Amino acid sequence: MLDKIGEPGSSKATLFEMLGGVEQVRAIVERFYDIMDSDPRAAGIRAMHAPDLTSAREKLFMFLTGWTGGPQLYIEQYGHPRLRMRHMPFPIDESARDQWMYCMIKAMHDTGVEDTIIEKMGAALHGVADFMRNREG
C-alpha cells in the first residue's frame, strides 16, 4: 500500500487531503466505473466485473479512501485488502492493467484533479495495478 506522503503534523499532506477528501474520492470512483461501463477501450476489464457494479464501486471507494491516507474504511469492514489474492481469479495481463489505469486517469481528469496530483497518484496506482498482473501479455 501507499505510504503516506507526510506524517501527522508535518507540512506534507496525504493524497487523500490533496485530493480534497471523501467527496472527491467518491467522485473519482463513480466516474471510474462510469467510464469502465461505457468506454469500448475498457471492455476487457468491464467483462471481468459483475453486471451490477454497485458492490465494486463501494469497495473501490472504501479501499482508495484508506489507500490515499484517509479513514481505513475497507480494512474496518473487510480486513486486510489482500489485493493480489482477491484478483487472482481474473486473467489480468498488461492490457487489463492498462485498461484499469486508463479508466482511473481519465476519471481523475474528468473530476478536476490537478495534474500534479494525477501524476503522483497515477504513478503509485500503476505500481499496484502492475502487481495485480497474473498473466503475460
Side-chain angles (χ1 to χ4, degrees), residues 5 19 21 28 32 34 36 42 46 54 56 69 71 84-85 92 118 127:
I5 295 171
L19 285 168
I28 292 166
F32 171 88
D34 290 347
M36 182 193 293
R46 177 60 181 99
T54 304
R84 188 150 166 81
M85 183 198 79
I92 302 172
I118 291 173

Side-chain angles (χ1 to χ4, degrees), residues 102-132:
Y102 164 77
C103 293
M104 183 55 69
I105 297 298
K106 184 164 179 27
M108 287 190 284
H109 277 292
D110 289 357
T111 57
V113 176
E114 294 177 25
D115 288 344
T116 56
I117 299 169
I118 291 173
E119 288 173 24
K120 286 180 186 194
M121 193 157 153
L125 283 170
H126 188 275
V128 174
D130 193 56
F131 183 66
M132 295 302 108

Side-chain angles (χ1 to χ4, degrees), residues 5-135:
I5 295 171
E7 294 301 317
S10 77
S11 61
K12 295 185 179 184
T14 63
L15 279 171
F16 181 76
E17 293 165 330
M18 292 161 70
L19 285 168
V22 170
E23 295 81 15
Q24 185 63 24
V25 174
R26 174 70 76 187
I28 292 166
V29 169
E30 292 301 321
R31 184 67 187 126
F32 171 88
Y33 280 108
D34 290 347
I35 294 164
M36 182 193 293
D37 204 28
S38 63
D39 193 318
R41 289 173 282 195
I45 60 167
R46 177 60 181 99
M48 293 181 202
H49 288 76
D52 182 349
L53 293 171
T54 304
S55 176
R57 287 175 190 266
E58 190 60 20
K59 286 178 179 175
L60 182 58
F61 163 72
M62 290 170 38
F63 172 76
L64 279 182
T65 296
W67 182 83
T68 58
Q72 296 295 319
L73 304 175
Y74 187 94
I75 291 172
E76 289 169 9
Q77 184 157 348
Y78 298 105
H80 190 282
R82 299 188 309 265
L83 292 177
R84 188 150 166 81
M85 183 198 79
R86 292 183 198 274
H87 288 82
M88 198 55 73
F90 306 100
I92 302 172
D93 58 11
E94 287 181 11
S95 175
R97 175 203 63 202
D98 293 347
Q99 289 174 49
W100 193 94
M101 287 301 303
Y102 164 77
C103 293
M104 183 55 69
I105 297 298
K106 184 164 179 27
M108 287 190 284
H109 277 292
D110 289 357
T111 57
V113 176
E114 294 177 25
D115 288 344
T116 56
I117 299 169
I118 291 173
E119 288 173 24
K120 286 180 186 194
M121 193 157 153
L125 283 170
H126 188 275
V128 174
D130 193 56
F131 183 66
M132 295 302 108
R133 286 190 307 126
N134 55 33
R135 305 281 194 287

